[in-house]
Every structure is written in C-alpha cells, then in structure tokens.
Amino acid sequence: MEQLSVDHLLGIKYLSEADIQLIFNTADHFKEVINRPIKKVPSLRDITIANLFFENSTRTKLSFELAEKRLSADVINFSASQSSVKKGETLIDTVNNILAMKVDVVVMRHPNPGAALFLSKNVDACIINAGDGTHEHPSQALLDAYSIKEKLGELKGKKIAIVGDILHSRVALSNIYALKMLGAQVQLCGPKSLIPKHIEALGVGVSTDLIQTLKWCDAVNMLRVQNERMDLNYFPSTREYAQLYGLNAKKLGSIKKEIVLLHPGPINRGVELTSDVADSKNAIILDQVENGVAIRMAIIYLLVAKLNIPST
Ligand code: CP
C-alpha cells in the first residue's frame, strides 16, 4: 500500500506533493463511500481516537468526529472548557492521561501556534493538527484545494486569490503551502495592516485592490475577519472593511467573468460576503464542508496505516 511520508499531520509544510495526491486519491474513494446508502466502512474498527478541542469549532470538530465514525473507530471528545485544564492541568499531563486509556490518535485544535508539533515531540501517539492558533490548519487547506480541483480540474496553472485577514489566518498559510505545491498561482488581497510583512517570500503575489484581484483569479477564498485574535484596530470600522474587501453581487457583476467562491466558515454575513453571494451558484462553501469528511477520512486512514497495528 502506498504510504504518507509523515507519521503526524502537523502542517502542509511537512507534506510532499505525492502525500497530497495520495490523500486526494484516498478521499475520492471515501467520497464515493459516504454517498452510498450504507456510509460506513470497518477499516478502523480497533482504533481509538480522541478529539481534543481547546478552542471553539463547529465544522472541523464535527467533520473529524463523523470521519472517524464512518471509519468505525471508537471516538472520545474533549472540550477544554469543561475539563480539568480549568484546574491547571498541563497539556502534556492532560494528553498522557487520555493516552493511558489506550488512545491511538489525537486530533487537536489549540490556540497556540506550534502546539501540535510540541505534542508530537512529547507524547507517544499520532497527532493531527486541527488548527494551531495563527499557524496552520492543514485539513482545511486540503479540503479547500480538493474542492477547487473538483470544480476547476487540475490546480496546475490556476489562479487562486485569498482575500481578507491573512495576518491572523491559519487557513491562509496552509492554503498557500498546499496550492503552491500543487502548481497554482496564489495572490493575497486585503488591507495592508492584515497582510504579514515579507509574505511574498512564499512565492505569492500581494494586492490591496479587491477588484483587480477578482479580475485576475479563477477562484477566491474569502477569509473570516478574526476579531477574537485582534488586540489592535486593524481597520477603521467593520463597515469600511466590508465596503473595501467584502464581496457583494455588484462587485462580482463588475468583473464580467465567473469565479469560484470559497469560505472556510464561519461566515460573518455582510462583512466578507453578502448573503446573495454566499448562497449563489458559484459558491462552493457547502461542497467544502461535504468534502471535509472524505478528506479527513483519508488523512486518518492513511496515518493509522503507518501505526502498524495488527488488525483482528
Ligand atoms: N473552518 C473551520 O475551521 O471552522 P470551525 O472553526 O467551525 O471548525
């Protein structure tokens, strides 16, 4: 069986193009499975997976849990806000106590950049990063790239724009790594205050002009303004942000071409996207969510294959 080059999914940065293609090919198979009347396969019957969420989540948490259940794994869920973390327990102690219950895989979302890497070096389990602060969100980038590929065909040579709060976005960094690795051209767009300095070094274009960016691209990923991570005022007002960097039907109409629209969710309706655009035929936001389950089934299946656990 073809295998991934990594033992954990910590970030797209650590994957090769062959790894991504293997994940996509495996996801194709699982997408077919989850569209059958019987959506479950027995592949991970003897595997136990813990989902550790130290930050809020709807899509990622439910999507991982569903992916695990579709693969017949045993699943336990942990939410920091209802746990002994509140009594001062450290991350390593928390995870080692969970692992003592014979857990094989840990899926973790954490507010600190590097938390998943730290865990992988300090505990004995396969670690999947479900978002570490402003750093990476690898499963999101994989499902985004897979969804664009499904809509546009190969990504090689395609022009993909990422618009909005790049500075605080783990989705942006993981998307840049994945899309560039797959041969796409990437342009970032947003107010200067929300574009990290020297980001061009990653081989991406940068623009502060939304209309120019929309005219340039084949697909646009509209990022959420991450108010919860902002310790300063990065733009004068939400209204002004929406006027300059929000997408509405008038702006889309003015570019006189069709482009594919993505958003990782949750959407601030009326800020990044007006509802008519978010719910339009070119928006693949719910396709992203559907594909997320197949992509996460592929990630978990391929990483568990590397654990060499004898099947019963
Ligand atoms: N896209 C994403 O990470 O959404 P959640 O925060 O709801 O998981």
Side-chain angles (χ1 to χ4, degrees), residues 277-312:
V277 168
D279 304 327
S280 68
K281 70 175 171 50
N282 288 341
I284 59 165
I285 298 166
L286 294 180
D287 299 327
Q288 290 171 264
V289 178
E290 181 186 341
N291 288 335
V293 178
I295 283 286
R296 290 180 174 116
M297 285 174 82
I299 292 166
I300 296 163
Y301 177 80
L302 291 165
L303 286 173
V304 168
K306 296 204 72 180
L307 292 175
N308 288 324
I309 296 174
S311 58
T312 53

Side-chain angles (χ1 to χ4, degrees), residues 56-61 109 137 140 264-266:
N56 295 343
S57 169
T58 298
R59 279 145 291 270
T60 312
K61 186 167 184 287
R109 169 168 288 188
H137 192 347
Q140 180 71 44

Side-chain angles (χ1 to χ4, degrees), residues 17-187:
E17 187 186 346
D19 288 329
I20 297 183
Q21 296 298 356
L22 177 59
I23 292 169
F24 284 4
N25 292 342
T26 312
D28 286 344
H29 166 68
F30 286 129
K31 185 160 180 178
E32 188 262 313
V33 167
I34 60 181
N35 280 295
R36 290 180 196 160
I38 296 169
K39 301 173 174 59
K40 234 171 143 158
V41 286
S43 317
L44 301 193
R45 226 181 30 209
D46 301 316
I47 300 297
T48 305
I49 303 181
N51 298 315
L52 272 52
F53 278 73
F54 292 83
E55 247 189 23
N56 295 343
S57 169
T58 298
R59 279 145 291 270
T60 312
K61 186 167 184 287
L62 294 179
S63 180
F64 267 114
E65 187 175 346
L66 200 54
E68 292 151 7
K69 288 180 170 168
R70 298 274 193 251
L71 291 165
S72 303
D74 290 324
V75 178
I76 54 173
N77 290 308
F78 164 96
S79 168
S81 59
Q82 292 156 5
S83 75
S84 291
V85 168
K86 292 280 168 204
K87 300 175 194 163
E89 193 169 37
T90 67
L91 176 63
I92 292 179
D93 278 346
T94 300
V95 175
N96 274 330
N97 276 271
I98 292 168
L99 294 181
M101 300 178 212
K102 308 294 175 211
V103 165
D104 305 293
V105 179
V106 172
V107 175
M108 183 175 75
R109 169 168 288 188
H110 199 280
N112 294 350
L117 175 65
F118 173 76
L119 202 58
S120 73
K121 290 186 184 302
N122 286 285
V123 303
D124 185 18
C126 166
I127 308 297
I128 298 177
N129 180 6
D132 59 334
T134 55
H135 180 223
E136 280 225 39
H137 192 347
S139 61
Q140 180 71 44
L142 290 167
L143 73 89
D144 289 344
Y146 183 85
S147 302
I148 299 171
K149 181 170 180 262
E150 195 174 62
K151 197 79 181 168
L152 296 179
E154 284 310 307
L155 277 157
K156 203 170 175 51
K158 294 292 185 303
K159 294 175 177 167
I160 316 297
I162 304 174
V163 172
D165 183 0
I166 315 290
L167 186 66
H168 300 101
S169 175
R170 52 193 172 212
V171 175
L173 189 59
S174 289
N175 260 268
I176 292 168
Y177 287 138
L179 294 168
K180 295 283 299 171
M181 210 180 291
L182 295 169
Q185 298 178 55
V186 178
Q187 179 164 305

